[in-house]
Amino acid sequence: MKRFTAILTQIWTVIDDRTGLSEMVAPLLSHLVPPGAKWSYVFGSATLFVFILQVVTGTALATIYIPSTQDAYQSINFITNEATFGSLLRGIHFFGASAMVVLIGIHALRTFLTGSFKFPREANWLTGLVLLALTLGMGFTGQLLRWDQNAIWSVVVGSEMAGNSPVIGDQLAKFILAGETLGGATLSRFTAFHVFFIPGLIFAFVGFHLYLVIRNGISEPPEVGHPVDPKTYRSWYQKMLHERGVPFWPDAAWRDVMFGVGVIIVIVSLALILGPPLLDKPPDPTIVQANPHPDWYLLWFFALLALTPPPLEKFAILLFPLVGGLVMVGLPFIANRGERHYKRRPWAVGAVLMIILMIGTLGIAGKQSNWSPDFDPTPLPATVVGTTTGPIADGAQLFNERGCENCHRIAGYGGRRGPDLSTVGDRRTEEQLTIRILNGGTNMPAFGSTLTPDEVDALVAFLQSRTTNQ
Ligand code: HEC
């Protein structure tokens, strides 16, 4: 045994001599950090932990996923239902994505609340903003790779919204779709961005961000009546570290490790218990969905646009992210000195509360409001339909399969974007129903070119049977 450890030590000495690993790592671990950096400082490192988890699971998924319009849906189906650990991997990757958005959001709010973006850490803040934008970009591009109904229509709507923005709208929409319409080129572009381009940028910026964290030092927990003055801050900080600093490992880092491991355990448990999101139906361009719902962290923005009066919506699309982005980028330029403690920065506390309240309420509004259809409605049971054969039964089936039920409610089943059709037979004639289905209406797509005459007849027969006294 002794001989064995001696050999190991010898091997390590040789490796360390040729590579200088310990020279590189030891100062990182032992460097002094301010005392009292408590649990609120763990969210940045946890974001990094989850990012690594995403890289690992994403790479594993990429060994099976086929980024072509022909095979994408099937390959995800295969991953979910057949591949070894496939369902678990997809689940982890899905919940990991949400966790990353939540953690980076909390990290940004925390740095803002403790005034850590002030001198000399302005560049830490700016590189962090780039990472925040890149993370949202990963969410948006990843969603399309599922290549199911919901995924492709979310991107269609997203690009239509971008296309509505003034001046650069057309170019923006073309850039997103990689052409005039959604298709194979779009999927290739999204895949390249999702697996190569954006992750590459994230790696680079994480490196830069961490380098800055070490160079400028972790910000000390703010104290009331202790404003930042660029002239004296650095020498004060060095002196404080010298007198009261603690080594990064283990005094400060153990919390990062504990919390990071905890987060990963939660993600894996969610993946095991809830599993990956169900795949929607395979994409079918004949089924028009006017308003699919995007993943939750973009939902509030869709809701905001839906609640904006239509004439202003055009500008809100561009203006809102632009103003929000400019304020965040401008922050360290206009407020990089002075008090850091939240007790002396009431406007900062107010801003944070407002952001949380806005995203929260808009998210809930987005989930519940009428503008968002139900994408996975339960087919109408036979007790509601009243029969299991003939045109009425066929019509009921088409009502579900062709997406009518996504927008229309019957006897409590289905979405609420359009009017409830439980008793539409009382108020509409055969002719009115036919015309409506063929031509569509405000916020209802026209089905004239996608349904056969027989299918239209069956739908009309079914709708006519929806009366108060069936
Ligand atoms: C994207 C959502 C959406 C889809 C999908 C949709 N509709 Fe509609 N539908 C609406 C909206 C919104 C209205 C009301 C707006 C209007 O009158 O222009 C409406 C109106 C109607 C009406 C008139 C209701 C009345 O009270 O007069 C009928 C009938 C109807 N839809 C049937 C269908 C059928 C059948 C399908 C499937 C082939 C379908 N809809 C698919 C959104 C949708």
Side-chain angles (χ1 to χ4, degrees):
M1 194 59 207
K2 236 182 176 164
R3 244 187 96 79
F4 185 61
T5 30
I7 293 175
L8 278 189
T9 316
Q10 184 118 41
I11 293 177
W12 168 243
T13 315
V14 172
I15 293 178
D16 197 33
D17 176 65
R18 306 299 192 277
T19 56
L21 275 180
S22 61
E23 281 162 46
M24 196 169 73
V25 176
L28 288 184
L29 292 180
S30 61
H31 82 278
L32 295 178
V33 298
K38 290 272 158 58
W39 285 102
S40 59
Y41 279 60
V42 297
F43 295 103
S45 61
T47 310
L48 180 58
F49 278 119
V50 177
F51 173 63
I52 293 167
L53 184 71
Q54 293 300 88
V55 171
V56 172
T57 51
T59 310
L61 290 171
T63 60
I64 300 185
Y65 179 69
I66 307 172
S68 87
T69 54
Q70 297 291 321
D71 305 310
Y73 183 81
Q74 277 316 320
S75 66
I76 298 225
N77 229 340
F78 177 80
I79 289 174
T80 315
N81 299 319
E82 286 168 58
T84 321
F85 295 128
S87 167
L88 179 65
L89 279 175
R90 250 197 87 205
I92 296 177
H93 203 67
F94 174 75
F95 289 108
S98 289
M100 210 176 143
V101 175
V102 171
L103 290 168
I104 201 173
I106 299 179
H107 179 55
L109 287 179
R110 198 280 294 158
T111 358
F112 175 65
L113 263 185
T114 56
S116 305
F117 61 91
K118 293 181 187 243
F119 180 89
R121 304 186 181 83
E122 296 96 328
N124 299 39
W125 173 262
L126 294 176
T127 49
L129 286 184
V130 175
L131 286 166
L132 177 64
L134 292 172
T135 303
L136 290 178
M138 285 303 276
F140 183 64
T141 50
Q143 162 177 285
L144 181 80
L145 304 196
R146 286 203 293 269
W147 204 251
D148 59 2
Q149 276 289 46
N150 206 0
I152 66 167
W153 286 106
S154 288
V155 171
V156 168
V157 171
S159 68
E160 271 171 10
M161 296 201 316
N164 275 335
S165 51
V167 191
I168 54 164
D170 274 353
Q171 276 87 337
L172 209 59
K174 260 189 214 150
F175 174 72
I176 292 176
L177 294 180
E180 298 288 341
T181 53
L182 185 123
T186 325
L187 183 55
S188 299
R189 172 159 299 183
F190 272 60
T191 310
F193 271 70
H194 190 78
V195 305
F196 297 119
F197 188 52
I198 306 182
L201 284 176
I202 293 185
F203 273 116
F205 273 90
V206 164
F208 193 21
H209 196 69
L210 288 182
Y211 158 77
L212 290 170
V213 168
I214 295 198
R215 181 191 136 86
N216 294 323
I218 296 175
S219 72
E220 76 285 359
E223 282 165 34
V224 180
H226 193 116
V228 173
D229 179 355
K231 285 202 198 70
T232 55
Y233 182 83
R234 279 197 201 272
S235 55
W236 172 85
Y237 184 81
Q238 286 309 331
K239 195 157 154 279
M240 180 272 297
L241 271 193
H242 200 70
E243 285 164 6
R244 296 187 282 134
V246 295
F248 176 63
W249 180 266
D251 289 55
W254 70 269
R255 286 194 187 82
D256 294 293
V257 174
M258 293 265 288
F259 185 73
V261 170
V263 165
I264 289 175
I265 290 176
V266 169
I267 294 172
V268 174
S269 311
L270 283 174
L272 280 172
I273 298 166
L274 300 177
L278 286 179
L279 276 185
D280 197 6
K281 300 181 187 114
D284 175 355
T286 62
I287 302 176
V288 188
Q289 292 192 345
N291 243 332
H293 64 176
D295 286 344
W296 65 265
Y297 36 84
L298 298 172
L299 190 63
W300 64 276
F301 186 56
F302 275 54
L304 180 77
L305 295 177
L307 296 175
T308 312
L312 298 179
E313 192 179 316
K314 244 176 121 131
F315 296 94
I317 286 170
L318 204 63
L319 217 61
F320 194 80
L322 204 68
V323 170
L326 277 181
V327 168
M328 290 200 287
V329 169
L331 196 65
F333 294 97
I334 51 178
N336 73 338
R337 54 192 67 202
E339 288 278 355
R340 284 182 49 207
H341 200 281
Y342 63 86
K343 283 194 182 145
R344 294 284 165 89
R345 293 162 60 230
W347 49 268
V349 178
V352 167
L353 287 181
M354 225 182 69
I355 291 171
I356 294 175
L357 215 72
M358 192 182 75
I359 293 188
T361 43
L362 281 175
I364 294 169
K367 261 220 132 44
Q368 294 178 342
S369 70
N370 299 344
W371 62 269
S372 107
D374 178 357
F375 284 97
D376 194 20
T378 325
L380 299 170
T383 46
V384 170
V385 180
T387 168
T388 50
T389 51
I392 292 182
D394 295 344
Q397 201 183 342
L398 286 166
F399 192 76
N400 176 274
E401 283 170 2
R402 291 314 180 122
C404 313
E405 204 185 330
N406 296 11
C407 293
H408 290 291
R409 218 155 229 256
I410 286 185
Y413 295 88
R416 292 177 208 246
R417 178 152 176 82
D420 191 311
L421 299 182
S422 300
T423 59
V424 70
D426 289 343
R427 58 174 189 268
R428 297 286 177 237
T429 64
E430 184 181 339
E431 197 189 349
Q432 285 175 323
L433 288 173
T434 313
I435 290 176
R436 168 60 60 143
I437 295 173
L438 295 182
N439 298 333
T442 322
N443 287 325
M444 166 158 162
F447 286 84
S449 56
T450 53
L451 293 173
T452 65
D454 282 350
E455 289 176 328
V456 175
D457 288 346
L459 274 168
V460 170
F462 166 66
L463 290 178
Q464 278 202 299
S465 70
R466 301 299 100 196
T467 55
T468 12
N469 47 352
Q470 339 175 356

